[in-house]
Amino acid sequence: MTGTPTAQRIVAAARGLLQREGVAAVHMRKVARLAGISPMGIYRHFTNRDALLQRLADDSFDEITHHWLAMRSGSDVLAQLIALQRIYLDYALAHPHVFEHAFSSHRGNARRFPEDFHARRSPTFNVGHDAVVAAQAAGVLRAGDPWDIAMTLWAHSHGLIALYRAGRFSFDERKFRSFHETSLQRILDGLRA
């Protein structure tokens, strides 16, 4: 986390609220109180609530990107693609409110496919794209637009996660994880070279 110690306290307080109660609970006065500063003091660091919420989303993107990059070593490109989806699922289930805010909430400045992604403006999506390119170069995945393939893989996991979180599965977490894994294998089987 970067910024002044006060900004870090503000972000930590806001993240805690988001983690526990969801985005609706993140109010500037409440965050200021939890951070131990005056309500007006928060505006020295964040111009408004949207700026603070954007920081929380950006931190989430950075966090998941860090996890993805950490697992990128090794020569098994297919295992890396699978690990990306597993880490995404792990993050979604461990931090449901944070995940929803970062990856499912409408934001006017959210990156849009394809132009923002092709311009490499998404730190998370860049990792997925690069993993697809590596798998294609290794002859594991068939030829095709790597941006489109990366989006297909992401949309698959994201859609299943959204359905699970909305109560559309009767599975417990263990069984849902197993279903997610099997479903992902079906998608990858269809993309194999």
Side-chain angles (χ1 to χ4, degrees):
M1 190 182 309
T2 60
T4 67
T6 302
Q8 291 173 7
R9 286 197 332 264
I10 292 167
V11 170
R15 167 98 183 210
L17 280 171
L18 177 62
Q19 180 87 4
R20 289 186 306 276
E21 302 176 44
V23 73
V26 181
H27 298 285
M28 298 299 263
R29 285 185 177 276
K30 195 173 189 179
V31 171
R33 182 175 44 77
L34 291 170
I37 63 172
S38 71
M40 292 310 294
I42 200 169
Y43 294 101
R44 287 189 207 111
H45 303 277
F46 296 94
T47 56
N48 56 35
R49 181 175 182 264
D50 287 342
L52 178 57
L53 290 173
Q54 184 59 50
R55 169 65 186 270
L56 295 175
D58 289 343
D59 285 354
S60 298
F61 300 140
D62 291 344
E63 185 178 346
I64 200 164
T65 300
H66 172 76
H67 289 297
W68 282 351
L69 291 174
M71 57 63 52
R72 211 165 56 168
S73 63
S75 60
D76 188 339
V77 291
L78 188 59
Q80 289 179 20
L81 277 171
I82 293 167
L84 291 177
Q85 303 310 311
R86 287 178 183 154
I87 291 168
Y88 190 70
L89 174 61
D90 290 345
Y91 191 84
L93 297 180
H95 311 284
H97 294 303
V98 176
F99 173 84
E100 184 174 322
H101 171 63
F103 293 98
S104 297
S105 295
H106 182 273
R107 289 188 313 282
N109 63 346
R111 295 171 191 96
R112 301 196 186 282
F113 188 83
E115 49 282 328
D116 290 333
F117 294 86
H118 287 191
R120 297 188 66 85
R121 293 186 186 112
S122 173
T124 51
F125 202 82
N126 291 342
V127 177
H129 167 268
D130 295 350
V132 168
V133 169
Q136 288 175 319
V140 174
L141 292 185
R142 64 182 164 172
D145 185 320
W147 294 106
D148 290 352
I149 293 170
M151 178 55 81
T152 297
L153 292 170
W154 178 36
H156 171 264
S157 282
H158 188 83
L160 288 177
I161 291 165
L163 290 168
Y164 177 72
R165 293 202 60 241
R168 300 303 195 266
F169 284 89
S170 60
F171 301 153
D172 62 13
E173 183 177 319
R174 182 190 56 77
K175 190 155 185 171
F176 175 70
R177 286 178 178 277
S178 176
F179 180 88
H180 179 272
E181 186 81 12
T182 302
S183 185
L184 176 60
Q185 291 296 337
R186 286 188 195 108
I187 296 287
L188 290 172
D189 286 347
L191 292 169
R192 286 183 195 270

